[in-house]
Amino acid sequence: MSGTTADSLVWLGTPSFPEAARTAVADGRLRANLRGATRTIRARRSTLAAELSDWEELRTSAAAVKRNALRHLDTHLIRLEAAVTAAGGTVHWAADAAEANRIVTGLVAATGEREVVKVKSMATQEIGLNEALATAGIRAYETDLAELIVQLGDDRPSHILVPAIHKNRSEIRDLFRDSMAAWGRPAPEGLSDDPAALAEAARRHLREKFLRVKVAVSGANFAAADTGTVAVVESEGNGRMCLTLPDTLITVMGIEKVLPSFADLEVFLQLLPRSSTGERMNPYTSLWTGTTDGDGPQDFHLVLLDNGRTATLRDTVGRQALACIRCSACLNVCPVYERTGGHSYGSVYPGPIGAVLTPQLAGIEHAPSLPFASTLCGACYDACPVKIDIPEVLVHLRARAVDSKRGPVPTAEALVMKAAAATLATPHTLTAAQWVGALGGRLLSRQGVLRSLPGPLAHWSRTRDTPAPARGTFRAWWRRTHRQEGR
């Protein structure tokens, strides 16, 4: 399969990352919300990971399982299709977002229903399913609390696991008061911003939907190729309601989520909750295999989504991003994400994993600035439970982004890089450049700081002070000081 649709994966019309980040960094309340939430999750994850003496062995095992799954992806997907079909389910193949939306919309329409309840799903966000259903006259209700907040606010998610991380509780209270009635049961009179009161308001708002709506749409965390078992983990119980009460269940799953065997879940069900929410295990782990007479949905459809994944698999460096299990651990340790938030990335997938996944799924031309949205500090690699070397992929994609813009006439940056290469090529040219830099710095600096650099370098000095070059080189200092010491 091949093909991708960037329109829903990348938020077209939004500013590039540098421009959006500049605005986000100036928002003090956003930074405070992000700092508090990410540091809390990070501390819990660190504590619970330390409880397991074989944590590193689990990471190594998970990475090996994912490598095996991706190397033989075609084989595992065919096995999965056969197992799901044998268990009473129906498998559909979607090459891109448009085809996936057509399949799901057609399946819902065939039931005669005009409403669906949804479990939190990155895959359905990636394809813009809610918008496609709305166009067909079908209303989708998000039932995950954070996704509900985003939907009521006509907002966009800013975190893979905590989509409303940019909202504080008083903002959520106001949103419930203003918008809940338009989607069903209104917020209670006198609703406070107490977390328990907000959760109770959401619970009452959603409960009648769980009991009334006949069709559910979910994503999937994993699917076992040998048994056809699909797994969803969550913390609120809304997923369990959606996966058991409706008559029809439609699951949209990226093809990279398949695991070779049911036994592989042992590794991932230990890693995922600790890496994502900082819990020993998820409060709700739902597993189902096809359909069972008289128990749960009697009609089950599994939509296997490509949407750029096959093309990503061809890239021997970039393909490791497909091993992601969407735990968000890389977001919670990233200094760039903590200061800019998820909206700055302009994509369904924010943070370090979004910076490597989005350009590959949507095409580097749709997200050329994202591989540069990183300090390359490596914290994301250390935190990743499946050992994705995100810094390596970032550097690889940066090269692709530069190559994609390379034309017959060299850019200013290319000329600067060539000049730097020539300068660093020999000690003599480097010494001469240092001498010129020291002289220029002495003429242009004020109190040891260059306030504004000329030409393209003005971008650098606009937001930071640039120290003037030292008056002498390190080599000169070494010769002078060690001669004085008689060495």
Side-chain angles (χ1 to χ4, degrees), residues 379-396:
C380 49
Y381 177 49
D382 292 338
C384 180
V386 291
K387 294 189 172 182
I388 300 172
D389 192 343
I390 293 178
E392 180 188 30
V393 183
L394 285 168
V395 172
H396 173 67

Side-chain angles (χ1 to χ4, degrees), residues 332-348:
N332 299 327
V333 299
C334 178
V336 176
Y337 176 85
E338 185 178 303
R339 285 156 182 80
T340 64
H343 289 165
S344 299
Y345 292 80
S347 167
V348 168

Side-chain angles (χ1 to χ4, degrees), residues 1 90-111 127 129 132-133 138 215 217 248 250-252 301-306:
M1 293 193 298
T90 305
V91 175
H92 308 262
W93 299 80
D96 54 26
E99 186 171 9
N101 286 330
R102 277 198 304 273
I103 292 170
V104 177
T105 302
L107 291 171
V108 177
T111 67
I127 62 176
L129 180 62
L133 291 173
I138 299 167
V215 181
V217 176
T248 300
I250 304 168
T251 298
V252 181
H301 298 270
L302 177 62
V303 181
L304 296 174
L305 175 70
D306 186 320

Side-chain angles (χ1 to χ4, degrees), residues 421-435 473 475 479:
T423 302
L424 296 169
T426 68
H428 298 298
T429 53
L430 177 60
T431 302
Q434 289 172 325
W435 183 84
T473 66
R475 288 172 181 271
R479 286 194 296 269

Side-chain angles (χ1 to χ4, degrees), residues 34 78 132 169 181 193 315 335 349 379 439 470 480:
L34 291 169
I78 291 172
R169 61 189 192 183
D193 64 357
D315 188 323
Y349 298 109
L439 178 61
R480 185 178 69 253

Side-chain angles (χ1 to χ4, degrees), residues 396-421:
H396 173 67
L397 294 176
R398 288 181 184 188
R400 283 177 53 186
V402 172
D403 288 341
S404 69
K405 294 180 180 176
R406 202 182 300 278
V409 179
T411 63
E413 183 182 11
L415 292 175
V416 169
M417 289 296 110
K418 284 188 176 181

